Amino acid sequence: MVLMLRRAAERARTHTHTHTHTHIVWNAVRCPCWSMGVSRLDLFYRRLLLTKLFIQGWGRPEDLKRIFEFRKIIGDRERCKGLVPNDYPVFINKTEEQSDCRIHDGYFISPLEELVPGILPQESVKARFQFIVPKTWRKNRPVCIHLAGTGDHYFWRRRTLMARPMIKESAMASLLLENPYYGYRKPRDQMRSSLKNVSDLFVMGGALILESAALLHWLEREGYWPIGMTGISMGGYMASLAVTNWPKPIPLIPCLSWSTASSVFTTGVLSKAVSWRQLEKQYAVNSVYEDEIIQLLEYCGADSFKMGLDLVKNSPDGLGSLAHLLGLTPDTEPRGGARAQSAAQRDPRGGAGGGAAGLDSLLSPGATPPRRLNLHTSGPERSSPPRQSLQRESLCFMKGVMDECTHMANFSVPVDPSLIIVVQAKEDAYIPRTGVLSLQDIWPGCEVRYLNGGHISAYLFKQNLFRRAIYDAFDRYLHKYSNAPP
């Protein structure tokens, strides 16, 4: 399948006259996505995919309420101590001998099932992983945990493209965790990788944060060191979220991901796969989303408002419809925008955290909601035609809930950001960076490396550079913490 994708990508790159040079630019200079243009290959590849996302809508309001309340807990590292015990049980049930490595198949019960019972589909409760270990170690016993990107079911793709080469190149072990909703953990009624509800993405993220902690504890108990995390695309987002929750310095290498998923589903090419009509319909007929769910959102949303304004000013032809949809012009700003931006400047984490309330009280229906986030625009907007208004409100609601659960500014800063090497594609049409906080602003001291090309070409042709960043981050850790083995 990967070879077929690579051949298709080569044909697409030739047909669409995309960049033919593939040299890498290693630097930490900010690189605005839209000013550089977007990859035609990304746009071409997106047109090949016909499946729709979120075909059943936002998800049950009670599920959204529970996961948002739980996000407030896992968003603050200090409040998470003890959520996943150091001795959390992890099991190996099969080992396969290979010429250069051993492949262990393992499993454990997701900690999310105990902490937020019933939120996971039954098929996703049992977490599965593969542990690829070299037969001969060169120095120490390093392990990198790889989280899966969109559509990465089972383990073959990560094992073939990353783990096996890492065995040969550096004798580094890889642990491949399977995402909830994917592979063996996919609900029976889900079609391929198409999550049925917006809430499924948030449940997946909460589960992976806790499951990563369980695996990190297990690797420490087994004497592996140093330990780091990586992922590509959605896997990079999930690895980043997991590291924000880990109480020790740890190498992190998120590839082809950025500071929030809100732009991915509202302005990136993947937004065209969203079932907007279903979301609009559900938002219109069920007032609980506007009347109650919005009150649970803590992130101030300044990025979302700024994103709309910047796209109006700087976007290329073809994005003007977004300005019409949002009802924005370069000289206007949604009500609350200035207030939200000033709040973000005072507290980049959006006011989350604080207090020593227990898990049960924070997840209880009577928990006191935080300040209300106003996602609506001022005066004239309310007299707009119903269809346009509904589109605008659904889009703003999507930005709000996505920022709440995926924006890195809504989570703790990793213990040592200097151990983070972010790898991004300059012309990534899947991960827009315009109008959102830079990871360098959220995690001062992290490094960002930019590759030429787009999301798809980087994934298919530049995984050797992702591995190079992993080795560099681990070397950086060894240089700073050579006396830190458990």
Side-chain angles (χ1 to χ4, degrees), residues 229-248:
M229 295 197 67
T230 190
I232 301 173
S233 191
M234 182 179 72
Y237 276 108
M238 298 303 183
S240 298
L241 293 175
V243 167
T244 66
N245 203 254
W246 187 243
K248 301 177 183 179

Side-chain angles (χ1 to χ4, degrees), residues 47-262:
R47 288 196 292 269
L48 299 178
L49 303 180
L50 303 178
T51 55
K52 284 286 187 178
L53 295 171
F54 315 136
I55 58 175
Q56 291 187 9
W58 301 103
R60 298 190 307 167
E62 55 268 33
D63 287 345
L64 284 169
K65 290 178 182 180
R66 295 173 76 199
I67 201 65
F68 288 174
E69 292 294 343
F70 187 65
R71 204 286 310 154
K72 297 170 193 173
I73 299 172
I74 60 176
D76 188 335
R77 188 168 54 240
E78 290 301 312
R79 301 168 70 187
C80 295
K81 293 179 178 178
L83 280 187
V84 181
N86 295 348
D87 59 352
Y88 195 87
V90 176
F91 307 97
I92 297 293
N93 59 349
K94 186 178 74 172
T95 298
E96 179 182 350
E97 294 285 341
Q98 299 282 323
S99 60
D100 57 344
C101 66
R102 295 181 179 89
I103 301 178
H104 305 286
D105 288 312
Y107 70 94
F108 58 98
I109 302 302
S110 176
L112 187 64
E113 175 63 15
E114 178 181 349
L115 294 170
V116 191
I119 199 76
L120 278 167
Q122 190 57 42
E123 298 90 342
S124 297
V125 170
K126 186 177 183 179
R128 301 169 187 264
F129 65 90
Q130 275 195 352
F131 189 25
I132 296 94
V133 181
K135 287 190 172 180
T136 303
W137 301 93
R138 295 180 188 172
K139 183 180 180 182
N140 304 311
R141 296 204 295 165
V143 180
C144 190
I145 297 176
H146 302 247
L147 299 188
T150 301
D152 191 350
H153 295 261
Y154 306 105
F155 308 107
W156 182 88
R157 195 182 302 180
R158 283 171 289 165
R159 186 176 65 237
T160 302
L161 299 179
M162 292 291 284
R164 295 300 289 265
M166 288 170 66
I167 292 284
K168 296 178 182 178
E169 294 169 356
S170 67
M172 181 180 291
S174 293
L175 193 151
L176 317 178
L177 175 62
E178 188 167 59
N179 289 357
Y181 301 92
Y182 278 20
Y184 293 111
R185 308 179 72 183
K186 183 172 76 69
R188 291 182 179 87
D189 59 346
Q190 177 182 301
M191 181 177 293
R192 296 187 287 275
S193 308
S194 300
L195 299 181
K196 295 179 297 180
N197 302 289
V198 174
S199 61
D200 293 345
L201 183 67
F202 308 148
V203 173
M204 180 192 290
L208 288 173
I209 290 173
L210 299 174
E211 292 167 13
S212 297
L215 289 171
L216 288 166
H217 284 309
W218 177 70
L219 290 170
E220 283 192 343
R221 293 200 308 269
E222 295 295 316
Y224 295 100
W225 181 88
I227 307 167
M229 295 197 67
T230 190
I232 301 173
S233 191
M234 182 179 72
Y237 276 108
M238 298 303 183
S240 298
L241 293 175
V243 167
T244 66
N245 203 254
W246 187 243
K248 301 177 183 179
I250 180 174
L252 168 65
I253 308 90
C255 303
L256 308 182
S257 66
W258 200 234
S259 58
T260 178
S262 66

